[in-house]
């Protein structure tokens, strides 16, 4: 996964992304994920890899929301869904925000996409307030499990579309000071996980 090639891939995918990932199954999974965190009025929330803005539709209106993405085409889709969110072209691995700015950082369907997921999670940690929460919804290989031949072959296909299905969250988490507050299996027979993290 390379960030510069991802920009090209998501330019192509942006017209059909909502059809692929905005269906009822994934929306219900996102709703379940958000139900696990307690967002209060006036909280500051950062959506990393905001994409076409599907998560924006699930958030309350009485909070301050920032969304970042490296794809201008995806951001244009998101802008059509809201007029009260700050949307910026920005790299998840190099956030242009000050330390401890956000009460919540949302990493939905991004750690399997970025070039260096450890860097992205460390950056999310840096901009998170001391009492803040990081929410992750993404596809991960089970801990200590090795991908079989079929999964390796499938990953070659999914990588063309900008996502790596063979990343392990325990390896990504290892370089951070974060702790898992909650974790559960989600859609596609548990290949997707919902994870709540705190400092």
């Amino acid at each position: 996964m390379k960030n510069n090639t991802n920009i090209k891939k998501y330019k192509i995918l942006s017209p059909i992304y909502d059809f692929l990932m905005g269906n009822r199954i994934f929306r219900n999974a996102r709703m379940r994920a958000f139900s696990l965190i307690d967002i209060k009025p006036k909280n500051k929330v950062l959506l990393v890899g905001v994409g076409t803005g599907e998560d924006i539709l699930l958030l309350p209106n009485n909070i301050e929301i920032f969304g970042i993405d490296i794809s201008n085409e995806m951001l244009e889709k998101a802008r059509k869904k809201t007029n009260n969110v700050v949307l910026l072209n920005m790299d998840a691995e190099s956030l242009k925000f000050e330390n401890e700015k956000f009460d919540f950082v949302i990493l939905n369907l991004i750690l399997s996409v970025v070039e260096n997921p450890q860097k992205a999670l460390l950056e999310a940690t840096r901009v998170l307030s001391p009492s803040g929460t990081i929410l992750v919804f993404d596809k991960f290989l089970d801990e200590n499990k090795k991908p079989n031949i079929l999964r390796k072959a499938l990953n070659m296909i999914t990588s063309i579309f900008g996502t790596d299905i063979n990343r392990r969250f325990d390896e990504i988490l290892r370089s951070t000071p974060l702790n898992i507050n909650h974790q559960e299996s989600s859609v596609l027979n548990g290949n997707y996980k919902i994870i709540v993290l705190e400092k």
Side-chain angles (χ1 to χ4, degrees):
M1 308 304 300
K2 298 292 183 182
N3 288 339
N4 58 341
T5 56
N6 277 342
I7 292 172
K8 297 174 183 177
K9 291 174 183 177
Y10 282 93
K11 182 176 183 178
I12 297 169
L13 285 172
S14 61
I16 60 170
Y17 188 84
D18 283 351
F19 174 77
L20 296 173
M21 304 303 294
N23 58 63
R24 185 178 64 180
I25 294 172
F26 279 94
R27 176 163 291 202
N28 287 344
R30 291 173 190 264
M31 290 173 64
R32 168 59 185 167
F34 281 117
S35 76
L36 297 171
I37 59 176
D38 185 21
I39 301 177
K40 293 182 169 59
K42 298 185 179 180
N43 276 167
K44 291 182 173 66
V45 177
L46 173 62
L47 300 172
V48 179
V50 65
T52 62
E54 282 296 293
D55 286 334
I56 296 171
L57 304 175
L58 304 177
L59 290 170
N61 294 320
N62 55 358
I63 61 175
E64 191 173 348
I65 306 172
F66 290 74
I68 68 107
D69 206 286
I70 60 170
S71 167
N72 284 325
E73 288 75 18
M74 298 289 269
L75 287 169
E76 280 304 310
K77 292 285 186 181
R79 287 190 181 98
K80 293 176 181 177
K81 296 176 182 177
T82 180
N83 57 9
N84 64 345
V85 175
V86 178
L87 294 169
L88 302 166
N89 187 305
M90 196 180 296
D91 186 349
E93 298 170 26
S94 182
L95 298 175
K96 307 304 181 186
F97 298 112
E98 63 267 28
N99 294 348
E100 302 180 354
K101 178 179 176 67
F102 297 99
D103 302 292
F104 294 90
V105 179
I106 312 302
L107 297 172
N108 286 350
L109 305 177
I110 186 67
L111 292 178
S112 61
V113 171
V114 293
E115 187 171 341
N116 297 291
Q118 292 87 356
K119 284 185 179 180
L121 188 55
L122 281 170
E123 276 293 271
T125 306
R126 179 183 64 78
V127 302
L128 184 71
S129 71
S131 60
T133 299
I134 293 176
L135 177 65
V136 177
F137 168 59
D138 216 327
K139 63 194 83 58
F140 297 109
L141 190 64
D142 287 338
E143 189 174 344
N144 300 320
K145 185 177 180 181
K146 293 183 178 180
N148 57 31
I149 294 174
L150 179 60
R151 189 166 181 129
K152 287 180 180 178
L154 182 60
N155 194 49
M156 293 176 67
I157 298 171
T158 61
S159 294
I160 294 172
F161 295 98
T163 187
D164 186 341
I165 64 171
N166 285 335
R167 292 180 176 175
R168 278 190 280 265
F169 186 73
D170 60 306
E171 294 178 355
I172 299 170
L173 181 66
R174 199 172 295 152
S175 60
T176 77
L178 298 167
N179 298 301
I180 296 177
N181 179 268
H182 177 83
Q183 180 172 333
E184 65 181 62
S185 297
S186 186
V187 295
L188 295 184
N189 296 320
N191 282 292
Y192 283 77
K193 315 289 183 188
I194 297 171
I195 305 166
V196 180
L197 303 166
E198 296 177 350
K199 287 185 176 177

